[in-house]
Amino acid sequence: MLSNTALDERRKAAVSGGASMSFPIYVDRAQNAELWDVEGRRYIDFVGGMGALAVGHSNPDVIAAIEAQLKRFSHTFFGTAPYESYVELAERLNKRCNVGGPAKTLLLTTGAEAVENAVKISRAYTKRRGIIVFGGAFHGRTLLTMAMTGKVSPYKQSFGPFPGSIYRAPYPDLYRGVSVEHCLSALETLFETEIEPSQVAAIVIEPLIGEGGYIPSPVEFMIGIRRLCYRHGIVLVADEVQCGMGRSGRLFAIEHTGVEPDLILTAKSLAAGIPLAAVVGKAAIMDSVGVGGLGGTYAGNPLACAAALAVLDVIERDNLLNRAQEVGDRLKAGLQAIQKKRNRSPIGDIRGLGAMIGVELVEDDETRKPARSLTAKVIEEAANRGLLLASAGRHFNVIRFLVPLTISDAVIEESLQIIEESINAAVNGDIGNAPLAQAG
Ligand code: PMP
């Protein structure tokens, strides 16, 4: 039988040390919100392919769609031998994305590529260079998107110099006293001290900041930015790579604010883990690039398009937007109960939209000092007990929930139990003594 330890030894010898590794658990198979390692242990998966599995692992409709496509053809390159599924997916995304008018779509392969292309399109449309992003944002790992990402360790260390003309403003964090007024006035300051608004091509914002700590953008902040963009002719780009595709309870998280962006970026859950990304935007902006200026060998690969069409069907048929809200309500209620039992800390804040919930852990309720090492211990303890979790936040002290929206209530309840036990064990220093996750 394969063992996790033996595979991990092989990984250390064969795989770049720069690739991250949270749990040395090697997957054998996965179904909906659960996976089994090569030693037969079962885990509940709250990381969900880092948010790529809104419809769950091995979704039968997605498998059937990919299988059917695979039998016909697996790849052609859309630019020379086009196919219907790319066009159909574009038509469906155009209908579902509120960008304040007729929309057009460009398909790509990764989230970072969607961000890069949004920058290219915004620059071509406005004929300007400046890009404004926010502190704590994550936009990808290519050199341009890393320059846009607002977190140094571990993403940016040792990789500079980065492309220029990227400017950063603060993102509101009401729990930590960073107000909407402060953030909007910081943008005005940026226009006075760094770059004239007439030189800014785009403002790129996550409507619910992901890596930065699961903080939904306050409605007034998004409205304020929309106004600035209208006033100065700046393209407003919503990076929905993590918060999109139903996780927030709406297909796109920005819909919660009522603001219509000019471009929407989606990836991750778009094709249930098959690499696919999209830039959907106002037709006039999307058409401002010369023919051949956009694309990529695998962009809009037919297997990925088939998967994405199935994902959209499943979201509609199974009413997953409502389900996202139910899942989130259940998680929130369970977490609030744990918080109450412990008389608050270490659970400082529970927040999010729909099923996109984050829990901020603090050392005490007064100082709100981020509990970074405790968070790592909770995550380690949970993995030992059979629940996979991921952290987020500038101080790595937020636990983020990226559960499949298709998860059952019973599995949610089981997970909440594990979270409570793991928090108690981490706080009491009772680390590494839990029985390992069970086979089965
Ligand atoms: N934008 C956001 C908001 C993301 O969360 C991510 C990935 N975590 C990306 C862009 C980059 O996506 P990818 O890893 O597919 O390049």
Side-chain angles (χ1 to χ4, degrees):
M1 185 174 82
L2 283 171
S3 82
N4 289 313
T5 316
L7 283 170
D8 211 43
E9 287 308 314
R10 281 170 58 193
R11 173 188 68 87
K12 282 180 197 150
V15 179
S16 162
S20 71
M21 166 61 57
S22 306
F23 314 108
I25 294 164
Y26 287 78
V27 181
D28 176 49
R29 66 196 164 88
Q31 186 64 52
N32 199 5
E34 293 160 277
L35 55 83
W36 287 262
D37 73 9
V38 289
E39 296 175 16
R41 281 195 202 89
R42 166 188 175 259
Y43 293 86
I44 299 170
D45 183 9
F46 268 26
V47 184
M50 206 42 94
L53 294 160
V55 299
H57 284 287
S58 312
N59 184 291
D61 294 272
V62 174
I63 292 176
I66 295 172
E67 273 177 355
Q69 177 59 47
L70 188 56
K71 286 185 187 138
R72 293 172 58 221
F73 58 95
S74 58
H75 179 63
T76 61
F77 182 65
F78 187 72
T80 49
Y83 35 91
E84 185 188 5
S85 55
Y86 186 124
V87 179
E88 186 183 346
L89 182 57
E91 288 167 348
R92 287 182 68 176
L93 288 172
N94 294 343
K95 260 196 214 127
R96 290 304 308 267
C97 289
N98 304 325
V99 289
K104 285 198 171 180
T105 287
L106 173 74
L107 297 181
L108 302 145
T109 312
T110 67
E113 238 191 318
V115 175
E116 293 245 358
N117 279 275
V119 169
K120 283 165 67 177
I121 294 167
S122 303
R123 283 184 173 161
Y125 177 71
T126 58
K127 306 201 170 39
R128 304 171 179 182
R129 64 185 171 89
I131 303 295
I132 294 178
V133 289
F134 294 92
F138 185 90
H139 295 297
R141 290 174 181 270
T142 59
L143 273 171
L144 174 63
T145 57
M146 231 179 348
M148 295 168 69
T149 287
K151 190 172 183 182
V152 173
S153 171
Y155 305 122
K156 300 172 77 150
Q157 270 161 340
S158 17
F159 297 134
F162 297 112
S165 299
I166 309 292
Y167 303 86
R168 200 174 310 284
Y171 185 92
D173 182 350
L174 304 186
Y175 179 65
R176 297 203 166 275
V178 186
S179 70
V180 170
E181 298 71 39
H182 168 76
C183 294
L184 287 174
S185 92
L187 277 166
E188 298 292 354
T189 308
L190 198 72
F191 292 151
E192 284 159 18
T193 58
E194 303 285 340
I195 182 166
E196 279 178 76
S198 63
Q199 288 304 306
V200 177
I203 296 184
V204 184
I205 183 166
E206 291 168 79
L208 194 166
I209 202 162
E211 181 69 35
Y214 274 42
I215 307 170
S217 165
V219 174
E220 322 82 72
F221 186 57
M222 198 59 87
I223 292 173
I225 287 180
R226 178 68 276 185
R227 284 207 185 109
L228 275 184
C229 287
Y230 278 142
R231 189 178 326 139
H232 300 295
I234 297 169
V235 176
L236 175 56
V237 182
D239 179 347
E240 297 252 3
V241 169
Q242 190 160 159
C243 57
M245 294 311 292
R247 195 164 289 286
S248 75
R250 305 276 174 88
L251 195 60
F252 294 103
I254 198 165
E255 293 170 26
H256 288 275
T257 68
V259 164
E260 290 171 342
D262 300 304
L263 304 180
I264 294 181
L265 315 182
T266 171
K268 290 195 190 275
S269 279
L270 174 61
I274 310 300
L276 185 69
V279 181
V280 188
K282 276 201 179 91
I285 301 177
M286 296 298 290
D287 281 339
S288 61
V289 179
V291 177
L294 306 172
T297 303
Y298 303 110
N301 167 274
L303 298 175
C305 286
L309 289 169
V311 165
L312 288 172
D313 287 344
V314 171
I315 290 176
E316 280 165 27
R317 185 197 64 202
D318 297 348
N319 218 344
L320 289 188
L321 303 185
N322 281 358
R323 180 63 190 154
Q325 193 58 51
E326 283 169 13
V327 167
D329 289 346
R330 220 165 236 279
L331 280 171
K332 263 193 181 159
L335 292 162
Q336 278 158 354
I338 300 171
Q339 186 188 40
K340 205 165 160 199
K341 264 198 234 169
R342 295 204 53 88
N343 202 5
R344 294 198 72 83
S345 69
I347 297 186
D349 196 26
I350 302 164
R351 57 183 178 245
L353 295 169
M356 197 166 171
I357 304 288
V359 178
E360 176 149 2
L361 300 188
V362 292
E363 288 187 1
D364 75 78
D365 300 319
E366 292 306 309
T367 63
R368 299 187 173 179
K369 190 168 176 238
R372 176 177 178 161
S373 73
L374 185 86
T375 307
K377 284 179 195 148
V378 172
I379 291 175
E380 189 188 328
E381 275 301 298
N384 288 339
R385 289 169 158 82
L387 173 66
L388 305 183
L389 296 170
S391 69
R394 197 173 302 179
H395 308 288
F396 302 89
N397 68 320
V398 177
I399 297 177
R400 54 171 140 173
F401 298 111
L402 285 162
V403 295
L405 309 177
T406 44
I407 191 171
S408 70
D409 289 347
V411 174
I412 296 177
E413 293 311 323
E414 193 184 341
S415 312
L416 285 164
Q417 180 73 31
I418 295 177
I419 291 167
E420 179 166 11
E421 286 168 14
S422 305
I423 290 177
N424 290 343
V427 171
N428 298 332
D430 183 18
I431 296 298
N433 296 323
L436 286 179
Q438 298 299 303

